[in-house]
């Protein structure tokens, strides 16, 4: 059990066996002893039926001129530099059956990638098609990891307040120091128009062990000035973690209400500068359906409205195996009338699919403010009716939220430029 004390606000990573191995640097030795002793082996020659994916991803491109693939997620143990760049690793994609012995590596240095994130099943060959737009090459190369889930969050859909905190890292003792300073303009959760706020601190992916600040009574602008210590975290391991700060309103006789939360990937933090932040709190989601990354572009010269369904993350599981078989339907709408429909292929057993599907609709410039795009993420079922996972509506008049409306307005204001935004999926009617 991880040791922590509310009085001193300290979590010690070395108090568990796995945490101790991580803190002294032995976890990599145990996981891959030969590579640590003899070093990483040289790249294997490309055999017939195999193709090598370039280490630098989109910088040099993959096979047949397509963008490269495969940034290894930091949550899978990849070290990150101080700038927070994802560590890269050469992978092989096997196109033909291998011999029974080809999957063994005596040095433990090779990892193979199927091109499907998080172990999802591969779909038909058409699913591997990459976007030809070089501006979107960045999204073609990223695999879903814990860090990716909380990157590019966009603007909060509603105002919940802001939190002021600071971070400092002691490289000698491998200790992260977090200071929760204050908050301002918090959302009122009590009938008196105030709240009784406190902050819960977690270092993801560890959700079991958490620390909390003191409760401040009847205020929307609390000051805590409390310090939390996370001991025994090497910097390369720490940069694979996500700091989760969740502000609650304390209720004595009922469940505490969520005011808002912040997810900060620590790979984005420059610990040499001892940064302090004012960050907006994001509203709690009653039903987490997942998020969808969408790009919009309008070409006035061609009267073409283009939408790129890039990828989704954290989709809600609809099947008994804890997965879904997602695909996306896009309807061009004029008022309540559906004019034209397009859809992506189905991705089997995948909650973080990468679609990279581009759809174009003919829309005259004078009608661009009168139309909308109804986007639905569906779960495919072989037997029975397909289920709706979540949806959103992009438009200048009837968008399903502030971020959806703003993306449409930005698209009109910046013709011929791709406007890329993460959207939280909404439930159906």
């Amino acid at each position: 059990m991880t040791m922590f004390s509310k009085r001193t606000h300290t979590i010690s990573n070395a108090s568990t066996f796995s945490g101790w191995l991580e803190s002294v640097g032995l976890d990599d030795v145990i996981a891959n002893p030969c590579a640590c002793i003899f070093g990483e082996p040289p790249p294997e020659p490309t055999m017939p039926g195999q193709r090598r994916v370039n280490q630098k991803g989109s910088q040099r491109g993959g096979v047949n001129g397509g963008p490269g693939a495969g940034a290894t997620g930091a949550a899978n143990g990849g070290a990150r530099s101080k700038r927070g760049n994802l560590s890269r690793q050469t992978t092989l994609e096997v196109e033909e059956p291998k011999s029974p012995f080809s999957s063994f590596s005596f040095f433990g240095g090779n990892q193979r990638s199927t091109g499907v994130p998080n172990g999802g099943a591969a779909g038909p060959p058409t699913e591997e098609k990459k976007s030809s737009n070089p501006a979107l090459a960045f999204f073609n190369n990223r695999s879903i990891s814990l860090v990716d889930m909380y990157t590019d969050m966009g603007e909060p859909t509603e105002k919940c307040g802001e939190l002021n905190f600071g971070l400092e890292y002691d490289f000698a003792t491998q200790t992260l120091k977090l200071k929760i300073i204050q908050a301002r303009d918090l959302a009122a959760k009590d009938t008196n128009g105030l709240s009784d706020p406190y902050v819960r601190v977690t270092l993801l992916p560890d959700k079991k062990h958490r620390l909390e600040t003191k409760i401040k009574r009847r205020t929307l602008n609390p000051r805590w000035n409390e310090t939390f210590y996370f001991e025994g975290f090497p910097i390369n391991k720490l940069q694979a973690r996500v700091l989760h700060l969740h502000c609650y309103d304390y209720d004595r006789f009922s469940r505490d209400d969520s005011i808002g939360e912040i997810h900060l990937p620590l790979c984005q933090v420059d610990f040499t500068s001892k940064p302090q932040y004012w960050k907006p709190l994001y509203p709690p989601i009653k039903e987490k359906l997942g998020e969808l990354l969408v790009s919009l572009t309008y070409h006035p010269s061609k009267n073409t409205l283009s939408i790129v369904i890039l990828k989704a993350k954290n989709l809600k599981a609809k099947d008994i195996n804890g997965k879904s078989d997602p695909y996306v339907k896009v309807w061009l709408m004029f008022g309540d009338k559906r004019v034209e429909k397009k859809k992506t292929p189905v991705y089997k057993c995948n909650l973080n699919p990468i679609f990279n599907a581009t759809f174009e609709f003919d829309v005259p410039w004078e009608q661009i403010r009168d139309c909308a795009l109804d986007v639905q993420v569906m779960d495919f079922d072989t037997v029975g009716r397909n289920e709706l996972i979540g949806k959103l509506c992009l438009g200048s008049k009837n968008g399903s939220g502030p971020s959806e409306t703003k993306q449409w307005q930005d698209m009109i204001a910046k013709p011929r430029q791709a406007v890329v935004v993460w959207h939280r999926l909404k439930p159906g009617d």
Side-chain angles (χ1 to χ4, degrees):
M1 176 178 178
T2 300
M3 297 175 58
F4 63 93
S5 168
K6 280 192 174 183
R7 185 176 62 84
T8 59
H9 296 310
T10 301
I11 290 180
S12 175
N13 192 35
S15 60
T16 63
F17 181 67
S18 60
W20 175 79
L21 289 175
E22 184 179 88
S23 65
V24 298
L26 292 177
D27 55 331
D28 291 333
V29 176
I30 294 177
N32 198 355
C34 292
C36 291
I37 297 172
F38 300 106
E40 294 292 340
E44 296 179 355
T46 303
M47 303 298 292
Q50 296 178 339
R51 66 177 185 270
R52 186 172 298 280
V53 180
N54 194 285
Q55 284 180 312
K56 294 186 178 180
S58 62
Q59 296 297 322
R60 294 191 178 179
V63 179
N64 298 331
T72 303
N76 295 329
R80 292 177 179 269
S81 67
K82 285 187 178 180
R83 290 186 175 183
N85 294 327
L86 288 172
S87 57
R88 305 286 179 172
Q89 179 171 333
T90 301
T91 59
L92 289 177
E93 295 183 355
V94 180
E95 296 178 329
E96 295 179 1
K98 312 184 296 293
S99 73
F101 302 100
S102 62
S103 60
F104 292 91
S105 172
F106 294 100
F107 290 95
N110 291 336
Q111 296 182 3
R112 299 190 180 271
S113 170
T114 61
V116 181
N118 287 352
T126 56
E127 295 179 3
E128 297 299 325
K129 183 179 179 181
K130 302 294 184 181
S131 171
S132 59
N133 189 344
L136 303 178
F138 168 79
F139 299 102
N140 296 338
N141 292 290
R142 290 174 65 85
S143 59
I144 296 296
S145 70
L146 175 69
V147 173
D148 292 327
M149 292 179 185
Y150 303 109
T151 305
D152 305 322
M153 295 287 290
E155 294 295 324
T157 55
E158 60 186 78
K159 291 185 177 180
C160 303
E162 294 180 293
L163 188 63
N164 181 208
F165 61 96
L167 289 171
E168 184 179 342
Y169 184 77
D170 188 329
F171 289 87
T173 61
Q174 297 183 338
T175 300
L176 172 67
K177 182 169 75 172
L178 163 69
K179 186 174 183 180
I180 305 292
I181 303 171
Q182 60 182 323
R184 66 187 177 195
D185 302 328
L186 295 180
K189 293 295 181 178
D190 296 336
T191 56
N192 60 4
L194 298 172
S195 293
D196 302 317
Y198 69 94
V199 179
R200 180 175 294 167
V201 181
T202 314
L203 201 58
L204 299 176
D206 180 14
K207 297 181 180 180
K208 183 178 180 181
H209 305 105
R210 56 200 183 194
L211 301 173
E212 295 175 356
T213 66
K214 294 180 180 179
I215 300 168
K216 298 297 180 179
R217 302 285 182 174
R218 296 189 295 275
T219 178
L220 300 181
N221 300 282
R223 294 186 66 89
W224 289 285
N225 287 320
E226 297 187 40
T227 304
F228 301 81
Y229 296 89
F230 298 87
E231 299 176 343
F233 287 89
I235 186 64
N236 63 323
K237 305 296 183 183
L238 188 66
Q239 288 176 327
R241 302 289 186 114
V242 173
L243 179 64
H244 183 209
L245 306 176
H246 201 154
C247 188
Y248 285 92
D249 167 54
Y250 172 77
D251 287 319
R252 185 173 184 179
F253 300 108
S254 63
R255 186 175 181 179
D256 296 349
D257 296 318
S258 174
I259 297 176
E261 59 185 349
I262 295 170
H263 290 90
L264 177 62
L266 294 179
C267 65
Q268 299 177 352
V269 178
D270 179 8
F271 289 108
T272 61
S273 62
K274 301 180 181 179
Q276 285 199 9
Y277 302 93
W278 273 105
K279 282 193 171 290
L281 293 164
Y282 286 79
I285 304 174
K286 295 181 180 179
E287 185 179 12
K288 294 186 178 181
L289 303 174
E291 298 179 59
L292 190 67
L293 184 62
V294 176
S295 171
L296 287 179
T297 312
Y298 185 75
H299 299 275
S301 59
K302 299 187 293 184
N303 289 331
T304 301
L305 171 61
S306 176
I307 178 172
V308 184
I309 308 298
L310 291 162
K311 61 183 178 180
K313 62 185 179 183
N314 304 329
L315 293 180
K316 184 177 180 181
K318 288 288 187 177
D319 299 334
I320 57 175
N321 61 359
K323 299 287 185 178
S324 290
D325 303 322
Y327 69 96
V328 179
K329 291 193 302 184
V330 181
W331 281 97
L332 175 64
M333 308 282 293
F334 280 93
D336 295 331
K337 183 180 180 182
R338 292 179 172 178
V339 178
E340 187 177 358
K341 181 183 77 170
K342 311 237 175 161
K343 64 180 181 178
T344 70
V346 176
Y347 283 68
K348 294 288 186 179
C349 300
N350 202 330
L351 299 181
N352 301 288
I354 300 177
F355 297 103
N356 285 330
T358 303
F359 304 127
E360 292 185 346
F361 300 93
D362 294 328
V363 180
W365 172 253
E366 57 272 13
Q367 295 181 340
I368 192 62
R369 290 175 175 82
D370 300 325
C371 67
L373 293 175
D374 182 34
V375 182
Q376 301 179 9
V377 181
M378 306 292 295
D379 170 54
F380 175 79
D381 287 322
T382 305
V383 180
R385 188 175 181 180
N386 298 341
E387 296 182 81
L388 176 69
I389 297 176
K391 61 185 294 186
L392 55 95
C393 184
L394 304 168
S396 61
K397 295 180 179 179
N398 54 351
S400 54
S403 65
E404 289 88 333
T405 302
K406 186 177 184 302
Q407 185 182 19
W408 195 273
Q409 293 172 346
D410 290 344
M411 175 196 69
I412 296 176
K414 302 173 183 178
R416 296 176 295 277
Q417 294 185 30
V419 182
V420 185
V421 178
W422 276 106
H423 296 290
R424 296 180 187 271
L425 295 173
K426 274 76 174 176
D429 299 331

